Amino acid sequence: MSARLSSARRKLRVVGVTVAAVLLLITGVGISPAAAVSVAPPPKLLGMSITSPAVLHPGDSLTIDFTLSRPADYVTFTVNGVEGPEYLTAKSGPTSGSSPSTGRATLVVGPDQGQLTWSDTYVVGGVSVGYDREYLWSQYDPNAYFYRIADYAADGTCHYNEGGYCLPGYAYGRLTVSVDAPAYRLSDNANLTPPAIVGTPGYGETIGLVDATWAAGKSGRKTYLRDGVEVDHPDWVVEEDIGHDLSVHLESFAEGYRPAGATSAPVTISSPITASPARLTGRAVVGQKVTAAFDESSVAVTPPQPFTVSYKLNYQPATPDQFAHTLVARDAGRKYRFEAMVMATGTPSAQRPFSATTPGIVRYKVAGEGFDAGFTPDMFARDAGGRLLLYPTDGVGRWLPARTVGVGWDVFDLILNVGDFDGDGNGDVIGRDAAGGLFLYPGDGRGDWLPRRQIGWGWNECGAIIPVGDFDADGINDLLCRTTDGRLVFFPGQGDGTFRPVSSYMPNRLRTAAMPGWSNPLIGEGWNSLSHVFSPGDFDGDGRNDVLARDAGGQLLLFRGDGKGGWLSDRATVVGWGWGGMARIGGAGDFDGDGTQDVWAVDGGGRLLVYFGNGRGGWRGSAVVGTGWSGFTSVF
């Protein structure tokens, strides 16, 4: 059925919140957007080129000319030998004072340390820009300074040392230069004997190694290979090795020689213990239940001997009566792990773990998923005729067919995609009418609606209402209200479509209110200086939901949630510039299914773009995923 609003103004007898009463006596100070110090974007790399000859000889200099969008204190370029082990840097001094700003980095060809010495082809890249120097007080060094640093990769992507994102720069690709130094020719370094793994180690045992020998120098970098594929591996046998071939690869770097490598013969890692895999089912979301299981009857030991089984949940000892676990705040920010350790107690003794982990880290609930089926992100849009359209996704960055799910939605001045707000596991929608009434439209989990109900009055005191998912780690989705005078107030959900009284909630953040039994925390002031305030979910990868907002200068600010209904810091982080041209911005959930939260935006031309988060408070790219979105009166 469609969610028709013919009875939109009918009064329902349900528990709700009168915002005017709640806000009447709120006092105190939370985080202010002013704490996000306005900073200029890092100097953007506009261009670079090698201006010295293609082939250099002793006494020559490699010269790299470059252009930045504004002055910098220095720029360094890594210079790596293709055949030899040399790894050097070419560094400039301060760039010109104009904008754009130019500079030159140089590196001498010669026999001394820090110079290009050996005949080789060198790749120039890895640009680091040091800028906006600040004095760093130190009792040991009166001239100590701190530099902000922006690093540009060959494809133009940029990151800076405060953990944020900078605008993409010049994609310089692969720049090379050759050195011809007759007195310094590289030779091949022969491997005399390859490395060897000692015996056949079992689970948990140290991997003994016979070192390789070389014509010159000694072994350096060591890597392990499982079935011929390099893996990140400790110096002992791990669970994943059992049943696979393990080998070790050693490399030798000696001055005057090309790097050389040798690989040991593979050793098959086995165990006398077998069993069915451990299982862990459920969603890795705070407030959701995960269930562990292990079939002890499937355990077999060869030759037969007694065994015991012990268990751990998140590395802590556990018993089978704890296998069904509701995830809580302390589980957030890492993968949840179940382990069954089988110990064969005869002679010879042996042990083998059987473990299972959640696919991604445990996170808090986010808004905007689970309306039509499963837990993939969904978007809604309202057209000029008041129709509500659903744009579901398949969870890996593709759209499923759009469809109309309601008519008459133009009676609302604000519509929110709040996720599961009534505790039934399905995504819901909230609308606010012109009189300030707040209405919950519960989703049925199949892209349709259950009966609506009114859950609040007087919500026109809020200039904006922000769905933040589970903001306080109780497993229930919540809302923020930005009042018309710029205060930011937290309204925790109760899990039944209403709001929780918080008279004994977060004592350090409580503020009194006129409604008996209610006391809602003020968590910010001055927020009316920001536009497009929204929650992307956990944007920085710590498991806690965060808030993003755009300031008047077009900067995108990150406010990191603390998982307790407040903030980790009294300062916001600038994570983007140039967002002033976007007509709408919002949280896209995990749009492409890579386990990190993304952001959508509609630009001035009506294109819908998704900016893919990197899970560390920055970005890894963007894509246009739709056109013609400027014709909608609401997108959420």
Side-chain angles (χ1 to χ4, degrees):
M1 68 177 181
S2 294
R4 298 183 180 273
L5 305 182
S6 58
S7 57
R9 295 176 175 82
R10 180 180 57 183
K11 288 190 175 182
L12 302 179
R13 293 184 178 275
V14 294
V15 176
V17 177
T18 303
V19 175
V22 174
L23 299 180
L24 184 62
L25 296 178
I26 291 178
T27 58
V29 179
I31 188 172
S32 167
V37 178
S38 181
V39 296
K44 183 177 179 179
L45 181 65
L46 301 179
M48 58 177 278
S49 62
I50 298 175
T51 53
S52 52
V55 179
L56 302 176
H57 302 88
D60 294 339
S61 291
L62 166 66
T63 58
I64 306 171
D65 288 350
F66 58 89
T67 304
L68 304 175
S69 61
R70 67 180 181 92
D73 294 287
Y74 66 86
V75 178
T76 61
F77 301 83
T78 60
V79 181
N80 307 315
V82 173
E83 294 187 315
E86 286 195 298
Y87 181 93
L88 303 169
T89 58
K91 185 174 182 178
S92 77
T95 64
S96 66
S98 60
S99 294
S101 180
T102 59
R104 169 174 288 182
T106 61
L107 186 60
V108 175
V109 177
D112 296 335
Q113 185 176 2
Q115 297 180 339
L116 292 171
T117 301
W118 297 94
S119 295
D120 198 354
T121 298
Y122 294 87
V123 178
V124 180
V127 185
S128 291
V129 180
Y131 65 100
D132 292 354
R133 184 179 74 168
E134 296 180 5
Y135 176 70
L136 182 66
W137 182 87
S138 170
Q139 60 179 321
Y140 305 106
D141 184 0
N143 296 313
Y145 291 93
F146 166 81
Y147 293 91
R148 290 186 170 87
I149 298 174
D151 294 320
Y152 289 93
D155 63 357
T157 56
C158 174
H159 298 279
Y160 71 104
N161 63 336
E162 292 186 342
Y165 159 82
C166 25
L167 296 174
Y170 175 70
Y172 50 87
R174 181 182 170 89
L175 299 178
T176 62
V177 66
S178 297
V179 170
D180 182 16
Y184 294 92
R185 304 285 188 194
L186 294 169
S187 301
D188 290 326
N189 189 7
N191 172 242
L192 304 180
T193 59
I197 293 177
V198 179
T200 305
Y203 169 77
E205 295 179 355
T206 300
I207 302 170
L209 186 65
V210 177
D211 198 0
T213 59
W214 312 89
K218 57 184 180 179
S219 298
R221 180 173 178 261
K222 174 176 62 178
T223 56
Y224 288 95
L225 297 92
R226 185 183 298 131
D227 295 335
V229 179
E230 183 176 328
V231 291
D232 187 15
H233 201 287
D235 290 325
W236 58 87
V237 174
V238 297
E239 178 185 358
E240 292 78 10
D241 295 331
I242 299 173
H244 298 275
D245 289 340
L246 191 67
S247 54
V248 65
H249 181 81
L250 297 179
E251 296 180 15
S252 175
F253 297 92
E255 186 176 17
Y257 292 85
R258 298 179 181 87
T263 304
S264 71
V267 172
T268 301
I269 306 300
S270 61
S271 173
I273 302 171
T274 60
S276 298
R279 300 188 307 278
L280 193 60
T281 57
R283 295 184 65 213
V285 175
V286 171
Q288 300 293 302
K289 182 179 290 186
V290 291
T291 302
F294 180 71
D295 183 5
E296 294 187 10
S297 67
S298 69
V299 176
V301 183
T302 306
Q305 56 178 288
F307 64 87
T308 62
V309 184
S310 59
Y311 298 100
K312 288 184 179 180
L313 290 171
N314 261 6
Y315 305 96
Q316 299 300 314
T319 56
D321 62 319
Q322 299 172 306
F323 283 5
H325 171 66
T326 298
L327 296 169
V328 295
R330 67 173 177 271
D331 299 319
R334 59 176 176 170
K335 293 183 177 182
Y336 190 78
R337 186 176 190 272
F338 166 61
E339 177 187 280
M341 178 66 75
V342 179
M343 301 282 294
T345 56
T347 303
S349 62
Q351 61 178 342
R352 179 179 179 179
F354 296 85
S355 65
T357 59
T358 55
I361 66 168
V362 176
R363 59 175 175 84
Y364 293 5
K365 279 186 177 180
V366 298
E369 62 181 22
F371 181 77
D372 62 334
F375 302 100
T376 57
D378 303 311
M379 289 187 65
F380 293 87
R382 182 183 62 189
D383 66 15
R387 292 188 308 158
L388 188 66
L389 297 100
L390 171 68
Y391 290 84
T393 72
D394 65 357
V396 290
R398 297 186 297 258
W399 298 106
L400 298 175
R403 62 184 186 274
T404 300
V405 294
V407 295
W409 283 75
D410 49 356
V411 302
F412 292 125
D413 63 358
L414 188 63
I415 316 175
L416 311 169
N417 189 359
V418 296
D420 176 22
F421 199 69
D422 58 0
D424 64 357
N426 304 320
D428 307 315
V429 170
I430 287 178
R432 183 187 68 181
D433 65 16
L438 206 63
F439 295 85
L440 174 67
Y441 285 80
D444 67 357
R446 300 184 300 275
D448 214 329
W449 308 96
L450 299 173
R452 72 157 193 169
R453 52 195 170 108
Q454 188 168 2
I455 60 171
W457 296 262
W459 280 74
N460 45 11
E461 292 284 337
C462 301
I465 304 172
I466 303 104
V468 285
D470 178 15
F471 201 57
D472 58 356
D474 63 353
I476 300 169
N477 285 352
D478 309 308
L479 297 179
L480 299 180
C481 162
R482 184 183 66 186
T483 65
T484 53
D485 61 359
R487 291 173 293 170
L488 196 65
V489 186
F490 176 50
F491 285 87
Q494 189 155 261
D496 60 359
T498 63
F499 300 92
R500 185 175 72 245
V502 288
S503 57
S504 59
Y505 183 75
M506 295 190 304
N508 293 333
R509 300 181 187 273
L510 289 179
R511 303 292 182 261
T512 59
M515 179 176 286
W518 284 82
S519 183
N520 285 66
L522 177 71
I523 61 173
E525 291 188 279
W527 281 68
N528 50 5
S529 65
L530 302 175
S531 62
H532 298 290
V533 181
F534 64 96
S535 173
D538 172 25
F539 193 67
D540 58 1
D542 66 354
R544 308 176 182 97
N545 287 352
D546 307 307
V547 170
L548 291 172
R550 185 182 69 184
D551 68 11
Q555 295 183 137
L556 198 64
L557 309 178
L558 170 64
F559 297 85
R560 301 178 63 201
D562 64 0
K564 303 174 183 177
W567 313 104
L568 277 180
S569 171
D570 60 357
R571 291 175 62 93
T573 302
V574 179
V575 295
W577 292 266
W579 287 73
M582 297 301 178
R584 305 178 189 275
I585 314 171
D590 181 10
F591 188 83
D592 58 348
D594 69 343
T596 61
Q597 303 301 302
D598 308 314
V599 171
W600 62 262
V602 178
D603 68 13
R607 297 186 307 165
L608 179 66
L609 300 99
V610 171
Y611 292 83
F612 303 107
N614 64 7
R616 302 184 301 276
W619 313 93
R620 61 172 186 80
S622 64
V624 177
V625 297
T627 57
W629 284 70
S630 57
F632 294 118
T633 60
S634 180
V635 178
F636 56 97

